[in-house]
Amino acid sequence: MTNMKKLLALGMATVMGLSLVACGKSADSNNGTDTKVANETEVTENSADDNTSSAPVASGEEIAPDAEGTAAKWTEEKTADGWVKVTNEGGKTLGYSANSGVKIVQVDGYAFKDLDRDGMLDVYEDWRRTDEERASDLTSKLSEEEMTPLFTHGGWTSFGATIEGDDLTYVQEGGRGGVTRSALNEGNTSMAVSWVNALQELCESTGNWGIPATISVDPNHVSNTIDQNSLAATMSVDEAFNLGVEHGKQYRAVGITMLLGPQVDIGTQPTWTRATGTFSEDPALNRDLANAYISGLQSTWAEDGTDLGWGEDSVYAIAKHFVGAGASEGGRNDHMDAGKYTVYPGNNFEAHLIPFLDGAFNLSSSSTKECGVMPNYAMSYSKDGSLGELVGGGYSEYKLGLLKESGYDGFILTDWQITNDGQQCFGVEDYTMAERFMLLYKAGVHQVGGTADNAAAAEGYDLLKDEVGDDEALTILKNATYHFLKSQMQSQLFDNAYITEENAFNTVWNNKTDEESLKQQLKSIIMLKNSNGTIAANNGEKKTVYVPYLYTPATSSSSSTSPATCEPAVDLDVVSEYFNVVTDSVNEPSGTDDEGNPEYQEEDIVRASADQIAACDMVLMFMDAPSQDSAKDDEGNWNPASLQYSKYTAKNARRESIAGDITTETINDGYYGTKTQDTKENRSYAKNTVGEDSNIAQLKLLEYVDSVCGDAKVVVIMSKASGPSCMVWSEVEPHADAILFYYGSTSWVYADALLQIVNGDVEPSALLPYQQPASMDAVEAQNEDVPRDLECYKDADGNTYDFAFGLNWSGVISDERTATYSQAPLTNVNAISFHYAEIKENTED
């Protein structure tokens, strides 16, 4: 075995104590509510005509079908989408493909899918049994060769009516997990139904057990519902719960059964590039929203609101990224080497556990109890080893040990491609892919995300057997398989993995979802400034507004090219529904591109005259917030992150980075001979300068408009499309009479939502989920791991843009939400007695 010395030196965990449910053991949860289970038991006991015992069978025992002539309590029909629907009286509705080889067996008068085609009813095929019993039974039947492919979770690539290429090979090899976003894109609904049903038919017909496919997805704006930052801006657990319920229905309608989210990290570093993917920077708010949203998502709910537990509308949530991802040094993205370290100068690592252990894994509004989890990419840096070894979260004995101590027994899916050579296998770069798989088996994770390499998974398992012995290796493998199969059982995939076009079209991307999404968006838009009541309740008068054209230079990348444009930032036809519109005009392109084709220049825009602009009631400026990541320049120097439009020199930044790679150099100083010397990398960007933001033209346009607006009120509508969730307002606020701030982009936020608030049709109610810094110096002065420790921006009206700040028509909002979440940030987790990792000898000083 190669690199065995390295493997032993790493000292990873042997096995987490997330024990495999033993044969015959029933866990606390079940397929539905207590009432539902009672009804299923009653169905069995009332079956008078069968020749089998109605008593519960031991796990692993097979049941023979009913005798010929036994009355059937089920019917079946072929759906318009090609699969067969089976309806049991008072029992589960099943779905299967007539082309897969699967048949129906009847027991106690009820229909069950004979997935292994043996003519008997196995425990895992019996929808009357608990999810835990069924998953345990199937796990006990699988060979090692059948289980190792289930340790992978790749990405579906052949989105169409037939499954081919890599996807076909992956399924034939036994793989059953993959991610796609195609099923959620508007216009893809019909194709999604065909693809999902084709994939499930392939899985059902391939292998010995009829194991279905888990189709996962990253958090997505399905049907233009709001994102996590926007949800946090409502600061409403009711909105979070309702959105979770709606997302469950929408995801399931297009075949999605696992959400790779929500992201619940607290975004404590203001420049963190992934802040817009999570809820907020506050532990309590993230805890409550995670609890509410996942509760709504995972349970299936009756029309009267009754919690039915796991069911046909349930989506398995994978809370991410465990743990501490929001404390990135430099705000850098941990998907890349630049962001591989998180740091904790405020000694506040414990607070980052709160949304997970006290929220996502302690659901108070759903009988599903807890969700899955995705460890983070980054290494949590500590000099003394108090945060564990310098390895990514999926490999971390310390972090995964905290899960074990909390009693967590959910599904652990790693972040993407951490077994691949490249930028995500932090701390284990020197190992082979098979060795990384072996380490992840040992660490106790249940599936590896972003890989369809079943051969490497099998090779890693062979290394595991060499390392810990056959018996312990088999226990580890069964534990991983059991947890994945249980997630599928909970999502009801073994009973019916098929979907219908009728339900899909009735559930996603339609007029009803448009109406609901508009309501959500209206509740998520924050009014930061409103001098002298610029935005007020509509008095019935149609105002006149000026909407300027914006010049956007041509851009090109390795994957696409966008031409230069001169156009307004919002659809003027929509604006005209609310206002009389004054705007600019555009001449023919006066420039040429590199190939000699006509190309717009900024001077091709003919601005409305100063008199025209001054005569308007308002100027509507649509802008994108500035954001620049901290990255290396061509000479290898680190540039600072920036939250402002103009160039920024990091005069007051930390001179030496907290984290950095340690390299050992061999030198000969000419006097004492050859010696070795450890050198720590300095990732600081102190004194370095980053240039103007790519959206600097928007700031210059605002400055121009302010200079000619006369008595017109300047309303700045500012989006935060990506990256950090805050900005330095000193460049924008002095030029604006009113400011609306929202998270997202106009690609999914309706212009109507923004315009209805500007027009006074809807009163704003949202609050800031992140503090807004007074300056970049304020950003540099705060601790990466501590929430709400910024000096905040104060505007000309005397309002401070602090966490939970927002305005309505009457002024600063003060209500139950602000009272609840304006308390001092939480620092201690309740679910466990927190401790740091054991301090190891001979650590770096």
Side-chain angles (χ1 to χ4, degrees), residues 649-676:
T649 300
K651 297 178 181 178
N652 295 314
R654 184 182 293 132
R655 298 291 293 272
E656 181 179 338
S657 63
I658 294 174
D661 294 345
I662 305 295
T663 57
T664 301
E665 299 177 344
T666 301
I667 60 175
N668 190 322
D669 61 9
Y671 294 97
Y672 299 102
T674 300
K675 63 178 181 180
T676 60

Side-chain angles (χ1 to χ4, degrees), residues 81-194:
D81 301 284
W83 53 275
V84 180
K85 178 181 179 181
V86 180
T87 303
N88 282 294
E89 298 174 13
K92 292 283 185 181
T93 297
L94 311 178
Y96 73 98
S97 169
N99 301 320
S100 69
V102 167
K103 305 294 184 184
I104 293 296
V105 294
Q106 180 178 304
V107 172
D108 299 336
Y110 291 89
F112 302 86
K113 293 162 65 175
D114 185 17
L115 293 167
D116 62 358
R117 305 167 185 82
D118 66 350
M120 302 288 285
L121 177 61
D122 297 78
V123 171
Y124 89 93
E125 298 166 336
D126 190 343
W127 44 259
R128 300 169 300 182
R129 305 302 295 258
T130 68
D131 299 323
E132 290 77 9
E133 290 172 318
R134 297 176 73 184
S136 180
D137 177 63
L138 180 53
T139 300
S140 71
K141 299 176 186 296
L142 298 178
S143 67
E144 293 176 349
E145 292 75 19
E146 290 170 321
M147 285 189 281
T148 55
L150 299 180
F151 197 61
T152 65
H153 192 117
W156 304 114
T157 60
S158 58
F159 190 75
T162 58
I163 310 303
E164 53 194 11
D166 292 342
D167 287 352
L168 177 61
T169 300
Y170 180 62
V171 171
Q172 290 174 335
E173 291 175 347
R176 289 298 188 272
V179 62
T180 182
R181 293 184 179 180
S182 299
L184 292 181
N185 293 339
E186 185 173 12
N188 268 356
T189 303
S190 179
M191 180 59 72
V193 174
S194 298

Side-chain angles (χ1 to χ4, degrees), residues 481-512:
T481 301
Y482 163 77
H483 278 87
F484 174 60
L485 293 177
K486 184 175 74 167
S487 76
Q488 292 195 314
M489 294 293 182
Q490 290 170 326
S491 302
Q492 315 289 286
L493 278 170
F494 276 85
D495 298 321
N496 185 15
Y498 297 90
I499 59 177
T500 70
E501 192 170 283
E502 179 183 11
N503 183 57
F505 277 114
N506 287 336
T507 308
V508 299
W509 300 113
N510 55 49
N511 291 338
K512 182 179 178 181

Side-chain angles (χ1 to χ4, degrees), residues 258-259 261-262 264 294 298 310 315-320 322 356 360-361 363 370-375 403 408-413 446 487 490:
M258 180 176 288
L259 174 65
V264 303
I294 297 170
Q298 288 193 161
W310 293 106
V315 173
Y316 201 96
I318 306 292
K320 60 186 184 183
F322 192 81
F356 293 93
F361 307 152
L363 303 180
E370 66 186 7
C371 70
V373 66
M374 179 181 290
L403 280 178
Y408 177 76
D409 193 32
F411 180 57
I412 305 175
L413 171 64
H446 302 136
S487 76
Q490 290 170 326

Side-chain angles (χ1 to χ4, degrees), residues 394-458:
Y395 296 95
S396 173
E397 176 182 355
Y398 171 60
K399 291 180 182 178
L400 296 175
L402 293 174
L403 280 178
K404 172 185 173 182
E405 291 174 30
S406 73
Y408 177 76
D409 193 32
F411 180 57
I412 305 175
L413 171 64
T414 76
D415 214 330
W416 257 226
Q417 300 182 343
I418 67 170
T419 54
N420 290 11
D421 294 329
Q423 297 192 88
Q424 283 88 31
C425 54
F426 302 135
V428 293
E429 292 92 341
D430 293 338
Y431 300 95
T432 67
M433 185 180 296
E435 289 168 344
R436 293 177 197 134
F437 267 102
M438 189 273 279
L439 294 174
L440 291 171
Y441 282 119
K442 287 182 65 179
V445 305
H446 302 136
Q447 208 168 59
V448 181
T451 180
D453 196 332
N454 295 322

Side-chain angles (χ1 to χ4, degrees), residues 235 270 281 526-531 643 714 716 718 725-743 766-775 778-779 788-808 811-813 822:
M235 292 198 183
E281 65 177 302
I526 308 158
M527 186 158 69
L528 292 180
K529 186 176 183 181
N530 193 30
S531 297
L643 302 176
V714 178
V716 174
M718 180 75 70
S725 292
C726 55
M727 60 176 282
V728 175
W729 287 94
S730 57
E731 296 172 307
V732 172
E733 181 270 326
H735 300 289
D737 295 284
I739 298 174
L740 298 180
F741 189 48
Y742 70 99
Y743 294 98
L767 305 167
L768 280 173
Y770 290 91
Q771 291 181 316
Q772 305 296 303
S775 63
V779 171
R788 297 164 51 190
D789 63 340
L790 271 173
E791 177 192 357
C792 296
Y793 182 77
K794 187 174 183 178
D795 70 14
D797 294 338
N799 291 317
T800 300
Y801 296 177
D802 204 345
F803 175 82
F805 168 77
L807 301 171
N808 56 24
V812 177
I813 297 172
S822 292

Side-chain angles (χ1 to χ4, degrees), residues 31 127 134 297 319 379 516 557 607 656 712 752 773 776 785:
N31 289 328
W127 44 259
R134 297 176 73 184
L297 183 77
M379 299 179 286
E516 292 303 313
S557 66
R607 298 292 179 194
E656 181 179 338
D752 291 89
M776 284 305 301
D785 57 324

